[in-house]
Amino acid sequence: MTRLVIDPVSRVGGNLRVEVELTAGTVTDAWTSATMYRGIERTLVGRDARDAWLYAQRVCGTCGITHAIASARAVENALGIAIPRNARLLRNLMAGTQLVVDHAAGFYLSQSLDWVDLASALDADPASTSTLARSLSDWPSSSPSYFGSVQQRLATLVRSDQPGPFAHASWGHPAYALPPDANLMVAAHYLEALDWRRRIMRIQVLLGGKSPHPQTFLVGGMAVAAAWGGPMRPSPGEHQWDLETASPAALSANGLSDISGLIDEARAFAEQVYVPDVTMIVKAYAGRSPIDAGIGHYLSFGDFAEDDSERPTLLLPRGRVMGNDLSGVVAVSETGVGESVDHSWYTTGADDGTLVAPGVGRTEPRYAGPRPPFDTLEGFDRYSWVKAPRYEDDPMEVGPLARLLVAVASPGATPHALARAVSQVGLEPEALFSSLGRTVARATESLFVANRLGPWLTNLKDDLAAGDLAMADISMWDVASWPAEARGFALAESARGAVGHWVTIRNHRIASYQIVDATTWNGSPRDARGRRGAIEQALIGTPVVDPDRPIEILRTIRSFDPCLTCAVH
Amino acid sequence: MDRLDEGLLAGLMARGVSRRSFLKLCVTMTGVLALPAAYAPRVAAAVAAAPRMPVIWLRGQGCGGDTEALLRGANPTTAELLLDLLSVDYHDAFMMSSGTAAVATQAEVRARYPNGYFAIVEGAIPTAEDGAFLTIGGRPFGDIVREVCAGAVGTIAVGSCAFDGGLASANGGSTGAVGVGRIVSDARLVTLPGCPVNAENLTATILHYLTFQAMPATDGRGRPLFAYGGLIHNQCGRRSHFEFGEFVQAWGDEGAQKGWCLYKMGCKGPETFANCPTVRYASGTSWPVKAGAACIGCTTPGFWDAMSPFSGRLPSPIPFAPDVSADQVGQVLVGGVGVLVAAHGTASFARSKLARIRARSSPAETARLSVAVPAGPTATEPSPAAPEAAGPVESTPTATAAERAAEPSVVPAEPSAAEPTATAVEPSVVPAEPVAATQPGEPAEAADPVPTVEPSPTVEPSPTDDRTPTDDAAVDPAADTTATDGR
């Protein structure tokens, strides 16, 4: 029995350390540890509650939009504010765009090279690569000369004495299963994804001023304003130069047209590049037994309200699937969430093993690990900056797979579009509970949400055309109108999974604030009953051919798309 | 393949980057660097012949937003920057290796390119608990930063967290978070604050080095002057609305739809040094004010405390002058805590001056001035030597009931020819605190060790306030103190 330490785990959000116990080449135990703490929940105490979302947004530079919106919604919930329809549509557009891009670009940048061997791509025949690409989709960049030029570019880089980020790769590892032309095709798409992400993010910059950390959110709605005189008339303050140099106001005709075109580009990439690539990967790897099933309990808070009622229909539905049982969905409410710190570097002052509801929770850091520098966390009962959230005392997995399973298992529903997309991939239901399942669920969800961006934009345009220009409810902007104390919460879904914010406001300032993020669930350490978190559990039983190149472990970890920065906040 | 012989452009073209897009990059960056256009060929020639600089990029105690900003790069594209222009040998968001193999890469780069690589750091360094609040590979992050930056030809701290500790250090924080400047000697450190950094400024800084073999000129905080040399207010596309007194009074109102000035919604543009209005984000697409959001002053030291509450106006001793720079205004005014102290000092100083001014002013003038001064601590002089405990400044965007009762209805000093009716609603949304103003163009006295700009009360811009020099002279207590007692 040997202990293997991997720190840092690259190509994840934030700072992740994983230690596994290997017995005869198989993982028999695992510990995931976030090695960074900031304390944003404590920073928020005392701040003007109307500013909370600005702080909360900085929980993460990738999914900050979800945290900003969840924070604004938590304060709106506390004060009983209902945002106008246009604000809901704008928030859906920005958060939806972010999810689509996080999934697709995140796959190529962070996960794809766990399934694709770049060195093998250099041996591919560009002509057969072109044939393969054209058999999968109509994506235009698919000629033999295109793949040839990509191959040359990669070869020059990889074989030079300055391979940059591709140094020390696990080329030729037996865990890779794709033929050379498939590897070259995905490598080409990796490079395309880098530029595609940049282009699509222009939506966020138009609507929010900058990306990451767009700035037009408000308690009460959005600060983006409709153009005076309607979309067809340039704003009086807008310099003509701006219009000519493609910097229109977001809600002007030019701006809306730009956003519409970018939405089409986003859709096209998801449909013609991302989903076909993942489909091909799943087919190539599906023969191997699913070794990383994990906990078997899946949680979705749901998100993307489709109407303005008090209990709106959610595009990504809310619910739980327990014990891999797809015959029904169990209800979810915020009262079911509790966090213990039994194996985490915090104290609650009382029994750290008790599950504390975030509405009354606190964050008191208390480091109890080895004095740095250290070699191992072995022997330390407390081993992570992540708290251990549980739903009614059960560990849960969150993320696109959880959302897919909840959608599939929802009673009486017509076959959900997500489920249909997955069945087209040819994955048996049992095989979904795996790293491959997480990977394909992410891809199909990306396309699913991308298909909704256009209709949301159309609804917004229709509202503006009909003269409904309200972007925010500011009836409670003046804090003098607030009650002495108010409590609120918001449940949301980032690309990575379920996100919850809980706030208590006293005299218009934040008295307490708690966040439970997606990777808090997935990257959770053990709880007081010794049950592992989702990633830890999924690693059990993973075969490791070469401990110096543990690609099998890293592949499973990255299939969760974890962000330890978010998890700890 | 010796990198020194190849030259960047040859390598770029071998990898499919066109000469045209390379030249376009150099022209764009010449503009960002605020160099005359005639410099563009020199930039192009130097970069074309430059080696592919190795980079070790360290992500510390932060949200990773500065890497995300890098991933928005348009010219050069991210792929070009990561794979072609630079050799990003260590970046845990992109690199293939993990664990000990990844960590070994840092040692390899340091050994192979002594004094020949860039160290780029994002995120803060926590110093409490022996560094346990951020370890990588079991080592405190501060040790890694110290080691990597020691062998670098230059260190660039990107983002506000790497600049001064950022969000983790707000209100003191609980981890002893500090910026890179507290770990690395100042001599070879350039800082690019912003939350997140504007990636164009990072690219420009690197190209400046490749062109001139030196980092760009910086202010006293290590911030390149080409990016942080001017106030946002002096570059803002909505400035004309400020001057004409056209303000957004409430989110979504007519002024908001017309793109009017966000001063009254708490915009920190008048106090913030950055180039967001000119360089903007996503190839000039937009920036927060243009999108309708008030600036939060995120390049300012300690901005989470100094610039908050973000939706309210704060006292500020930085004058409305076209050429003011951060160094001119003085250390204490740029430092976050100093701003708060000077602000409280300002308020009380203003009140004592107001009493003298009131004695000699017309009733209308007095009424106008009454709007500008808040209640507050009664110290008679600003005392920057005794910093207050940092904390969010209490400020309401609307006056309290008592102040509202004391305020007169609007009494214009001079009726102006064209008074926009939409802005006739006053004074309930006029924040009640003074803003310092010297004569436009009047330089601060650099020799003065205490705050070099004498804070003075002035009125909030109103629709009828055309801010002529004579008006300012009438209320400027600096003028008052230098004049004889005969006034």
Side-chain angles (χ1 to χ4, degrees), chain A residues 7-8 10-11 35 37 47 51 58 61-62 153 161-162 165 198 202 209-211 215 238 247 371 373-374, chain B residues 61 63 68 72 84 92 95-99 112 130 133 135 138 195 284-285 287 290 294 304-305 310:
Chain A
D7 180 7
S10 63
R11 289 182 276 131
T35 60
Y37 166 86
R47 307 287 170 169
D51 288 343
R58 272 77 182 173
T62 312
R153 182 182 188 184
D161 62 346
Q162 285 190 299
R198 186 265 308 173
R202 187 155 183 265
K210 64 183 184 185
S211 170
Q215 210 157 298
E238 203 70 48
S247 301
R371 280 291 131 205
F374 58 86
Chain B
Q61 198 190 16
C63 73
E68 286 288 334
R72 309 290 190 261
D84 302 323
D92 62 24
M95 58 198 303
M96 286 299 304
S97 58
S98 284
R112 220 176 128 197
D130 297 331
F133 288 109
T135 60
C195 188
T285 296
W287 64 294
K290 183 176 157 75
W304 290 107
D305 299 325
F310 296 109

Side-chain angles (χ1 to χ4, degrees), chain A residues 71-389:
Chain A
S71 180
R73 282 176 45 206
V75 175
E76 287 155 2
N77 177 257
L79 301 174
I81 299 173
I83 66 172
R85 176 173 140 100
N86 289 332
R88 172 178 62 82
L89 292 168
L90 282 169
R91 289 179 179 183
N92 281 358
L93 273 167
M94 293 178 76
T97 299
Q98 197 63 43
L99 179 146
V100 171
V101 170
D102 283 353
H103 280 348
F107 167 74
Y108 286 101
L109 198 62
S110 303
Q111 300 147 37
S112 67
L113 298 178
D114 292 342
W115 307 96
V116 160
D117 185 344
L118 265 191
S120 155
L122 301 183
D123 296 331
D125 170 20
S128 71
T129 307
S130 171
T131 308
L132 170 65
R134 286 171 177 165
S135 73
L136 293 176
S137 89
D138 296 329
W139 186 248
S141 301
S142 59
S143 69
S145 63
Y146 169 68
F147 287 118
S149 70
V150 168
Q151 190 178 52
Q152 189 197 353
R153 182 182 188 184
L154 285 171
T156 311
L157 180 65
V158 168
R159 291 181 180 145
S160 76
D161 62 346
Q162 285 190 299
F166 300 130
H168 299 297
S170 302
W171 309 138
H173 196 289
Y176 285 124
L178 287 173
D181 49 6
N183 289 322
L184 177 57
M185 182 183 72
V186 177
H189 295 159
Y190 171 106
L191 295 174
E192 288 185 50
L194 283 176
D195 204 46
W196 169 82
R197 177 209 312 244
R198 186 265 308 173
R199 289 199 310 275
I200 306 305
M201 286 292 98
R202 187 155 183 265
I203 294 176
Q204 315 289 36
V205 178
L206 280 166
L207 292 174
K210 64 183 184 185
S211 170
H213 300 326
Q215 210 157 298
T216 50
F217 301 107
L218 281 180
V219 169
M222 300 290 290
V224 192
W228 182 254
M232 295 310 300
R233 201 166 134 187
S235 311
E238 203 70 48
H239 197 286
Q240 194 61 26
W241 172 251
D242 283 339
L243 302 175
E244 289 164 10
T245 56
S247 301
L251 300 183
S252 64
N254 283 336
L256 292 168
S257 162
D258 274 6
I259 294 172
S260 179
L262 290 168
I263 286 174
D264 288 341
E265 270 196 63
R267 265 206 68 254
F269 189 85
E271 185 179 63
Q272 296 174 35
V273 180
Y274 180 27
V275 170
D277 279 358
V278 170
T279 305
M280 177 200 67
I281 286 172
V282 163
K283 285 188 174 134
Y285 284 90
R288 298 152 184 247
S289 55
I291 49 164
D292 34 21
I295 294 173
H297 304 321
Y298 300 90
L299 169 68
S300 169
F301 285 157
D303 206 345
F304 299 108
E306 293 282 37
D307 59 71
D308 301 287
S309 66
E310 282 214 4
R311 300 177 63 87
T313 305
L314 301 174
L315 176 71
L316 301 178
R318 174 174 299 171
R320 280 179 296 149
V321 163
M322 305 298 291
N324 295 340
D325 181 2
L326 293 178
S327 65
V329 162
V330 189
V332 163
S333 109
E334 65 96 15
T335 54
V337 179
E339 290 183 298
S340 92
V341 298
D342 206 54
H343 291 274
S344 313
W345 292 322
Y346 300 95
T347 177
T348 57
D351 174 7
D352 291 342
T354 311
L355 289 172
V356 178
V360 296
R362 291 155 50 204
T363 300
E364 303 281 350
R366 190 174 67 180
Y367 184 66
R371 280 291 131 205
F374 58 86
D375 291 327
T376 179
L377 296 167
E378 185 172 10
F380 286 86
D381 204 41
R382 294 168 181 267
Y383 61 91
S384 179
W385 285 115
V386 183
K387 294 182 183 176

Side-chain angles (χ1 to χ4, degrees), chain A residues 528-552:
Chain A
R529 287 172 46 185
R531 292 163 313 166
R532 304 181 186 92
I535 296 177
E536 291 175 333
Q537 191 61 39
L539 287 172
I540 307 300
T542 302
V544 177
V545 165
D546 177 2
D548 288 334
R549 301 188 300 168
I551 193 171
E552 304 94 331

Side-chain angles (χ1 to χ4, degrees), chain A residues 292-293 397 401 432 434-442 538 556 559-560:
Chain A
D292 34 21
E397 177 177 329
L401 177 61
L432 280 176
S434 65
S435 297
L436 279 181
R438 285 184 276 273
T439 303
V440 75
R442 183 168 297 117
T556 295
S559 75
F560 282 87

Side-chain angles (χ1 to χ4, degrees), chain B residues 41 47 109 119 124 176 178 338 357 458 460 472:
Chain B
V47 178
V109 172
V178 300
I357 294 165
T458 189
E460 286 302 302
D472 284 343

